[in-house]
């Protein structure tokens, strides 16, 4: 029909048309509900990813903080060599306070003084970080004890100074009995 005037009444839809219209409306509603469910799922997934990303950032930050702490807290290792006043490496026993006192010597200001036959004293002290072998002149290093977080030991394995957080490198006890308050070359 090409033309319809204002007086023409529209016909009633057939049963098949009514059924198709109801089916189309139901399909549209299902599609709308599916779209809402998909949007909610996508939002939940994005929120989960965001939480995981934030949690990962916090975890990486904490791991970095702990790694930095352990790097700083790890004590440095320094080897001390017992040397004479002219820098010749000697046996570690000459820089031991008990050895010096048992042979009539004493410790003062970072030096061990051990008497020599015929009069006088031989001076011994620690060189920290130098290299060389027994009887040779020490090469490099310093005569100043390292401070801070440093473990100092002799080539024979005797601990001269321990470092770390809250450790001063001195041993002994307070209160009258116990140690001398000295650990060696500091």
């Amino acid at each position: 029909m090409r033309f319809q005037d204002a007086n023409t009444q529209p016909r009633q839809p057939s049963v098949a048309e009514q059924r198709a219209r109801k089916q189309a409306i139901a399909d549209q509603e299902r599609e709308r509900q599916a779209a809402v469910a998909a949007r909610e799922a996508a939002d939940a997934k994005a929120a989960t990813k965001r939480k995981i990303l934030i949690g990962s950032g916090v975890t990486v930050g904490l791991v970095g903080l702990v790694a930095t702490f352990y790097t700083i807290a790890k004590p440095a290792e320094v080897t001390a060599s017992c040397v004479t006043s002219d820098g010749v490496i000697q046996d570690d026993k000459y820089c031991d306070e008990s050895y010096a006192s048992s042979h009539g010597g004493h410790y003062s200001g970072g030096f061990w003084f051990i008497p020599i036959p015929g009069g006088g004293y031989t001076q011994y002290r620690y060189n920290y970080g130098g290299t060389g072998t027994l009887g040779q002149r020490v090469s490099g290093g310093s005569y100043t004890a390292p401070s801070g977080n440093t473990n100092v030991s002799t080539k024979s394995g005797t601990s001269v100074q321990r470092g770390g957080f809250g450790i001063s490198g001195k041993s002994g006890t307070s209160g009258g009995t116990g140690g001398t308050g000295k650990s060696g070359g500091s």
Side-chain angles (χ1 to χ4, degrees):
M1 182 182 214
R2 291 186 182 199
F3 177 75
Q4 185 174 357
D5 64 7
N7 296 333
T8 308
Q9 292 288 337
R11 71 171 173 85
Q12 290 293 327
S14 69
V15 175
E17 290 173 334
Q18 289 175 2
R19 195 176 305 134
R21 186 173 289 144
K22 285 181 185 177
Q23 183 68 36
I25 292 172
D27 289 345
Q28 287 176 349
E29 181 62 23
R30 270 194 301 273
E31 287 174 6
R32 187 190 66 76
Q33 288 176 351
V36 168
R39 190 175 325 113
E40 289 174 355
D43 290 345
K45 187 175 180 180
T48 302
K49 282 184 178 181
R50 197 170 29 254
K51 289 176 186 174
I52 290 173
L53 183 62
I54 290 170
S56 298
V58 169
T59 302
V60 167
L62 286 175
V63 167
L65 182 66
V66 169
T68 301
F69 173 75
Y70 277 116
T71 300
I72 292 171
K74 182 181 176 189
E77 301 289 330
V78 174
T79 303
S81 300
C82 184
V83 297
T84 60
S85 58
D86 59 351
V88 176
I89 300 175
Q90 299 296 315
D91 192 348
D92 292 337
K93 70 181 179 183
Y94 295 115
C95 290
D96 181 25
E97 192 169 357
S98 61
Y99 178 84
S101 62
S102 69
H103 286 81
H106 62 280
Y107 173 81
S108 176
F111 292 91
W112 286 268
F113 298 93
I114 300 178
I116 55 175
Y121 287 89
T122 301
Q123 295 179 12
Y124 297 95
R125 64 180 172 170
Y126 279 120
N127 176 283
Y128 302 95
T131 58
T133 59
L134 198 62
Q136 289 183 334
R137 288 186 59 82
V138 70
S139 175
S142 170
Y143 291 103
T144 304
S147 61
N149 192 21
T150 307
N151 287 338
V152 180
S153 59
T154 64
K155 291 180 182 179
S156 62
T158 306
S159 179
V160 175
Q161 173 186 355
R162 286 185 54 222
F165 292 116
I167 299 174
S168 66
K170 301 201 182 285
S171 61
T173 61
S174 59
T177 61
T180 63
K182 296 180 183 172
S183 66
S186 52

